[in-house]
Structures are given as C-alpha cells and as structure tokens.
Amino acid sequence: MTLTPLSYRVVDRRDETHDTVTLVLEPAADALKPFAPGQFAMLYAFGVGEIPVSVSRLGDGRRLTHTVRAVGAVSRALCGLRIGGWVGVRGPFGTAWDTAAAHGNDLLVIAGGIGIAPLRPLVDAVLAEAKAFGRLNVLAGARTPADLLYGDEFPAWGKPFGAVTVDRPSGGWTGRVGVVTTLLREARFTPSGTVAFVCGPEVMMRATARALIHQGVRPDRIRVSLERNMRCATGHCGHCQLGPLLLCRDGPVVGYDQAEPLLTVREL
Amino acid sequence: MTSHPVGSTGEGVFTALTAEHRGKLMALAREVSLPGGARIFEEGERADRFWVIRSGTVALDVHMPGRGRVVIETIGAGSLLGWSWLCPPRQWHLAAETRDPVRAWEFDAAAVHDLCAEDTALGLSLVTVVAEIIGDRLRATRTRLLDLYGPPGSGPVP
Ligand SMILES: Cc1cc2nc3c(=O)[nH]c(=O)nc-3n(C[C@H](O)[C@H](O)[C@H](O)COP(=O)(O)OP(=O)(O)OC[C@H]3O[C@@H](n4cnc5c(N)ncnc54)[C@H](O)[C@@H]3O)c2cc1C
Ligand code: FES
C-alpha cells in the first residue's frame, strides 16, 4: 500500500455502455502490490480529484483493470481518458471476497448495475478452480438491456445457472424482466451449503440478503460490498465510517450479519 | 433443507402447506406443455385458471397504443402464474405469453374454490401462500420504482 499515488498510463480502454468505461492501466515504473478480488484502488484524475474504484479484473499482477461509471466530476474525467492518458493510483485497499472460505460450497454471485464490476474478478477466480466449489450461479440485474455490463462474457459464466434481468426491457429484449431476486427461485443451490457474494445499490443488497435468509442462507455467509465516500483510504480520516467500521479498512466486503444492523439505521 | 429449485416438481410454491393439503390441491393439477410464443391469457378475459411453472419462462405484458405489447415482468420455474382468479372481478389485468417452451401444472380455479369451501383450513393456508407471493411481487415492483440503477438523481421524487 502506498500513500502517494503511483503513475499509471492507460494502455487500453473499452466503452462498455453509454456511461461506463473499462480502463486497463500499466505502471510507468514501480507497480502497486497485487490486488485481490473485491479490493479497490484510489484513482486520481489529475487536476480533478480522487475516487475509490474496485478492480474489475486481475491481470498479470502489474496491470490494473477498472470499470468506471461516469456519475460526477472525477468518474467523468476518468471515463474521458484516452489511451496514453495518465492516472495516479493508490492501493490495494480494503477487504476481499474470500473465496478460500467458500470452498466446497454452492456459490451465488449476485450483482446489480455497476456492482458486477467488483464481482468479475471473483467469477474469474472461481472458474479458474471450479472443482473447489459446488455449483456456481451468476445473477445480474441492470436498468435496461443497453446498461448490461460484460454481456459477451456472461455465457461462459452461466454454468449451471446464469441469468440477467432488466428493470426496463427495450428493443427486442427476449431475456428476463424484473428484479434480480426473482431469479433466485431458479438458481441451483442448497441454502445450508451456500456462500453468496452480493454487490449493487444498498437497497438491492438488503432485499437480496433478506430473500436469501428467508430461503435458509446464513447471514454471515452472505458477503456484501458496502460503499461510502472515501478520502484517505488508510483508516485515518474517518470519512468512510459506518457505525464501528471504517469501510476502507474493515470493508468494503463484510458479512451481512455485521452489515444488517448498520444499514437499517438511518444516519450513524 | 431442500435443494433448489424448490419449484422443480411444480409443488414448490405450496411447500408451506401441510402434506395433506398439498396432496389434495395437487390432485386437481393437470400437467400442460406449451410451445414458445403461446398466448396463455389476454387482458380482460375471465380468470378461471392458474398455473405453477415447472420449466421455461412466461412474460406478462400489457398492450400500449403506439408501443404494442410491453413486457412488465417475466416469471420463471417454481413460480405461480396468475392470482386474479382468487378475488372479484376475476379478470386478468395483464396478458401472458410463453417465452420458450413451458411445462406447468394447471389448476381449474372453480375446482380449487370448491376445495377451499369444503376444507376451510386448506383455504386459509392457500390464501396465505398466495398473499405472500403477492407481497413479494409488490416489494419487487416498489424496488423497481426506485430506479436503483438509474443515473444519480433519477427515480421517484422523495
Ligand atoms: C469501495 C468502493 C468501490 C467502488 N468501486 C467502483 C467501481 O468499480 N466502479 C465505479 O464506477 N464506481 C465505484 N465506486 C463508486 C465511485 O467511487 C463513485 O461513483 C465516485 O466516488 C463518484 O465520484 P464523482 O466525483 O465522479 O461524483 P460525485 O460528484 O462525488 O457524485 C456524483 C453523484 O453520484 C453520487 N454518488 C457518489 N458516490 C456514489 C456511490 N458510491 N454510489 C452511488 N452514487 C454515488 C452522488 O451522490 C452524486 O449524486 C466505488 C466506491 C467505493 C466506496
Ligand atoms: S477513508 Fe479515511 S478512514 Fe476510511
């Protein structure tokens, strides 16, 4: 972990949707330590500001891949970077999706919107040692078909069950329509032997966790990724505090047993 | 703990019922297979049946002038299709079409009403199950109203 950003250059970029871009970054000199799935970097758009962004694919250990949705000044500046552009990067920060603890279990990977980005390296890791796990289910929700991320990769993830659903169908969409929890009925898993990894807007994660608990999945086996504004990312400034947790250090990935009482309190 | 999908036998929707009640209800079920693209019912028609989907997907749609059929929601294996048979005016509020080949248990609503009148404990349990499903769908609809994945600032005005 470094406190001052290292310089990285954009070596590849891909427009995923109208507002979301994937950037591949290469260090100008020294590289940061390798990231684990679920961890995040602080990306600094020069002259604009710095924001937390998860790794969306683990590469060769030197390169970094991030998928950024343009929602405000900094994320828009990052999405606007072209090949050859420069970014300051700090990290790796935060807790990871713990795949080792999930060995032998059925897996539910449940994403809403941009939440699929932090989950993609987890799916990659699981597919790389598929025999270590039970059944893999990947469920994703998006606003419209045009907002679906990584659509071309999805078919490879759909074993034994993978499905995407949208809130608003359009233009000849023949897939599923409705919230992501509606796909749970068809997923293949034994609740008592399942670990779920959930990432998306907080309301979506709460609804998903409740549905899973109702079906018999233990709260501590439901791992969620929580987001709060971050500044130092090193556990010093208190910006990312949620109750007793500093999410840059104790999160973003936490068990729902820990998250639930904190998420239902209005302002802490 | 069961292995999912709980609805794979078609009885999954009714797991909350006692074995005796489930048996009585399933005795009224008829196995049906429908090809993809089949219209199951149309808006305004009499709601005299319901289904439990065993495999495949059904789209619920509504006709909008100028836009044609707009899909509101899809329903997959292990789900109940149709609840308008339960209460007056017993008319479908939406239309339903299979997205792909569908296998389902079909129930005649009049026969189920008669069974519920005969065995009121079964009737109460069945209504509770259907109410829970309606509650789930209502919560899902409310979640969609929030437009969670929309651009910041979108969604309903607080
Ligand atoms: C641990 C962590 C990992 C993240 N990973 C990713 C990622 O992989 N890809 C990605 O695109 N984003 C990710 N984010 C969110 C990203 O950090 C924010 O979108 C960013 O901080 C917004 O900054 P901005 O200057 O562009 O916009 P701002 O001007 O700060 O905000 C613009 C609008 O977006 C809203 N907003 C800000 N932050 C968030 C948020 N976290 N969630 C929802 N709305 C928000 C604000 O309320 C405001 O309406 C992550 C956040 C955290 C905490
Ligand atoms: S961002 Fe400063 S303590 Fe977490």
Side-chain angles (χ1 to χ4, degrees):
Chain A
M1 191 208 297
T2 61
L3 295 180
T4 43
L6 297 186
S7 287
Y8 276 68
R9 205 158 60 92
V10 179
V11 291
D12 198 7
R13 63 162 277 147
R14 173 184 157 132
D15 290 308
E16 302 282 359
T17 69
H18 71 285
D19 64 359
T20 304
V21 169
T22 294
L23 300 172
V24 180
L25 309 175
E26 198 169 76
D30 291 338
L32 294 169
K33 284 202 187 118
F35 284 64
Q39 288 191 304
F40 68 95
M42 293 298 287
L43 298 186
Y44 178 59
F46 289 103
V48 188
E50 193 186 39
I51 58 168
V53 180
S54 310
V55 278
S56 69
R57 174 143 280 156
L58 302 181
D60 54 7
R62 266 181 77 74
R63 286 187 169 192
L64 293 172
T65 303
H66 296 282
T67 302
V68 188
R69 182 179 181 209
V71 297
V74 182
S75 50
R76 246 198 315 273
L78 291 170
C79 286
L81 286 171
R82 302 282 138 194
I83 291 175
W86 292 92
V87 193
V89 189
R90 295 191 290 133
F93 297 119
T95 52
W97 303 114
D98 188 354
T99 46
H103 279 167
N105 285 271
D106 289 335
L107 303 181
L108 287 167
V109 176
I110 307 174
I114 186 77
I116 191 82
L119 288 168
R120 184 169 68 163
L122 166 81
V123 175
D124 289 342
V126 169
L127 292 177
E129 49 163 357
K131 286 202 169 69
F133 302 96
R135 293 163 289 188
L136 170 66
N137 300 269
V138 185
L139 285 52
R143 189 184 200 216
T144 71
D147 291 309
L148 272 175
L149 293 176
Y150 317 138
D152 51 342
E153 297 187 36
F154 220 85
W157 299 347
K159 291 181 195 123
F161 183 77
V164 292
T165 182
V166 300
D167 280 349
R168 303 173 184 204
S170 60
W173 171 252
T174 56
R176 305 295 299 262
V177 180
V179 294
V180 75
T181 43
T182 59
L183 300 174
L184 278 175
R185 270 193 174 279
E186 291 152 79
R188 311 267 156 180
F189 65 103
T190 304
S192 56
T194 291
V195 177
F197 300 97
V198 188
C199 189
E202 232 163 77
V203 173
M204 168 265 172
M205 291 197 287
R206 289 208 303 264
T208 305
R210 281 192 199 119
L212 291 173
I213 291 166
H214 184 62
Q215 294 196 24
V217 181
R218 262 176 32 201
D220 60 313
R221 289 164 152 259
I222 302 169
R223 315 294 298 170
V224 295
S225 181
L226 302 179
E227 288 189 6
R228 286 295 181 275
N229 283 340
M230 304 217 173
R231 188 161 289 172
C232 70
T234 54
H236 290 100
C237 74
H239 239 74
C240 63
Q241 185 164 5
L242 180 65
L245 305 179
L246 291 175
L247 286 179
C248 65
R249 184 191 66 195
D250 309 318
V253 177
V254 298
Y256 195 68
D257 55 327
Q258 218 179 354
E260 202 262 337
L262 303 174
L263 296 183
T264 43
V265 176
R266 266 184 127 199
E267 293 292 333
L268 285 159
Chain B
M1 204 56 72
T2 52
S3 179
H4 284 240
V6 285
S8 57
T9 61
E11 300 170 39
V13 169
F14 304 125
T15 42
L17 301 186
T18 63
E20 186 203 341
H21 288 166
R22 201 161 52 239
K24 281 187 178 179
L25 194 62
M26 289 309 293
L28 300 178
R30 190 170 76 91
E31 205 177 336
V32 293
S33 294
L34 299 164
R39 301 293 288 171
I40 305 177
F41 52 79
E42 299 292 342
E43 185 180 342
E45 284 179 357
R46 207 156 61 87
D48 54 2
R49 283 169 297 166
F50 66 93
W51 297 261
V52 172
I53 301 171
R54 303 174 68 197
S55 64
T57 310
V58 173
L60 299 175
D61 63 53
V62 65
H63 184 267
M64 289 181 71
R67 284 179 63 188
R69 286 182 195 139
V70 176
V71 175
I72 305 293
E73 192 172 14
T74 53
I75 291 178
S79 298
L80 174 73
L81 172 62
W83 67 68
S84 299
W85 55 276
L86 193 60
C87 328
R90 301 199 168 93
Q91 271 182 332
W92 299 119
H93 293 275
L94 298 169
E97 179 178 304
T98 58
R99 280 250 152 134
D100 38 37
V102 163
R103 289 189 317 131
W105 295 114
E106 184 180 271
F107 295 81
D108 177 73
V112 173
H113 275 293
D114 288 348
L115 178 64
C116 293
E118 212 173 84
D119 184 340
T120 50
L122 188 161
L124 180 61
S125 302
L126 181 61
V127 168
T128 306
V129 165
V130 177
E132 197 188 328
I133 292 168
I134 295 172
D136 275 351
R137 302 254 174 97
L138 177 61
R139 277 188 289 278
T141 306
R142 285 175 175 163
T143 305
R144 281 169 72 189
L145 280 177
L146 289 171
D147 195 16
L148 292 179
Y149 312 133
S154 71
V157 178

